[in-house]
Amino acid sequence: MDAEVAIIGVGTMGSMAAWQLAKQGVSVIGFEQFGIGNDRSAAGGESRLFRTAYMEGSEYVPLLQQAKQLWRELEGESNNKLLTLNGGLMIGESDSKEIDTILKSINDFNLEHEILEGDQARKRYPQFKLYDDDVAILDKNAGFLRPELAVVSAVQQAIKHGTIIKNHTMVENISQDEKGVTVTAAGKQYRVEKVLVTTGAWTRKLLPNLKDQLIPRRLLLTWFAPKDISNVLPGKLPIFARMRGDFRLTGAPSLDGSMVKASYTKAPQYVNDPAELYRDVYPEELEKISQSVEALLPALLPDPVRASVYMDAYTPDNHAIVGELPDMQNVIVASGFSGHGFKFSPMIGKIISELCINGKTDSNISYMNPIRLFGEANSFK
Ligand SMILES: Cc1cc2nc3c(=O)[nH]c(=O)nc-3n(C[C@H](O)[C@H](O)[C@H](O)COP(=O)(O)OP(=O)(O)OC[C@H]3O[C@@H](n4cnc5c(N)ncnc54)[C@H](O)[C@@H]3O)c2cc1C
């Protein structure tokens, strides 16, 4: 055996799994087609938002609370600042589904928050335009992560504990037999007991049997120059999700003292083959995002000063796939984080390391069970 566990794809989830496994003395070999911390993976773009009052469903709250502890552990071990909790402001129409779900997660778990209405919100957060039917919710356990540094920090810790990383090495094939799994990478074969597939948007290329369960999406990030930089620094501007009708902006305060990240995240754009991702920007998407900024975020000048294109794998219900697939013993997949997985990635690393070592986890991940997506009703078919 070359190692007990092979990790295919050392991006977000792969790096966290390597850290968790290596800490427990498991021998790991990790394969990454690009470099570690590369910005072609879903971890590129300078910041990721961390929220606890969760519009994607209150079932995530325990995962998020435990992820926060693990982020602090990784910070302690690596001596790098990764998570800054400067608050999260969610603004939307008071009768919208998103606001409803955020409030449900607050009530279900008694989360620390403030609700601001009308002039109170306008006075405290003049960066945003608020309409009379809007409500603003401040999540006290929210802020921003530094994704590239987080991936690099986790991998450095894993290497310290003996993990071998093969970067710039693409895995071409995996095949199982009764004694283990063979991984073929750059023409060479490696024998391991178990495999973790954490290949993000590239997953269905490696596992074509997931083509109806996972699809990559193109996601555009944009940055804007502020009218007054002092209003958009982390002490003044929380991370935000500003939702109204067809407009939806999510973003972070200025981390470099010059630009603010605010991205339009409504219209899905599917990518059949990651190699064909269009990395430039369409004029019509710029127009839409400028209109959103003009309507909702008057603290910014509406022409983006920077734009970058990324991908993430999506499932039909926007919950990930975590676990063994039918007919694929000793191969555990963690993919399809549908645009919101970074914040809880250390917990996914922990969970898949538990699945590898013990064959089970105490965390509730029933909503990520791959089986739910096999069958016409819940797949992309
Ligand atoms: C633009 C954007 C903004 C986002 N914003 C947020 C946010 O604010 N908050 C949040 O929580 N989440 C956010 N997300 C979601 C989050 O970043 C992703 O869900 C998460 O990073 C996905 O991690 P992953 O490990 O599945 O994929 P990745 O991080 O992409 O890792 C997959 C890795 O596998 C490698 N790989 C693929 N195939 C092979 C192969 N055959 N051989 C070797 N290596 C291979 C790839 O090169 C890559 O490094 C955002 C995502 C995007 C794209």
Side-chain angles (χ1 to χ4, degrees), residues 8-14 31-34 38 41-43 48-49 169-171 198-200 202 206 219 221 310-312 334-335 337-343:
I8 307 180
V10 189
T12 310
M13 305 302 164
F31 298 91
E32 170 53 48
Q33 63 182 346
F34 304 132
N38 77 83
S41 81
R48 286 290 176 272
L49 311 186
T169 306
M170 184 196 273
V171 171
T198 46
T199 40
W202 292 263
L206 191 67
L219 296 167
L221 294 182
Y310 303 90
M311 274 181 296
D312 198 5
S335 183
F337 289 89
S338 304
H340 66 114
F342 200 90
K343 60 183 84 55

Side-chain angles (χ1 to χ4, degrees), residues 5-24 26 28-38 41-44 48 70-71 74 77-78 82 145-161 163-167 196-200 334 337 341-353:
V5 177
I7 299 180
I8 307 180
V10 189
T12 310
M13 305 302 164
S15 62
M16 298 297 155
W19 172 48
Q20 289 293 322
L21 282 167
K23 251 182 17 159
Q24 293 178 73
V26 176
V28 175
I29 182 162
F31 298 91
E32 170 53 48
Q33 63 182 346
F34 304 132
I36 301 302
N38 77 83
S41 81
R48 286 290 176 272
L70 287 181
W71 284 120
L74 184 54
E77 288 175 27
S78 65
L82 304 173
L145 288 151
R146 305 309 302 253
E148 297 90 348
L149 187 60
V151 168
V152 170
S153 300
V155 171
Q156 285 304 313
Q157 290 312 303
I159 290 171
K160 248 189 214 166
H161 293 283
T163 290
I164 294 168
I165 297 289
K166 303 261 177 205
N167 54 0
L196 292 180
V197 178
T198 46
T199 40
F337 289 89
F342 200 90
K343 60 183 84 55
F344 53 82
S345 58
M347 267 310 284
I348 296 297
K350 183 157 187 268
I351 287 166
I352 54 183
S353 75

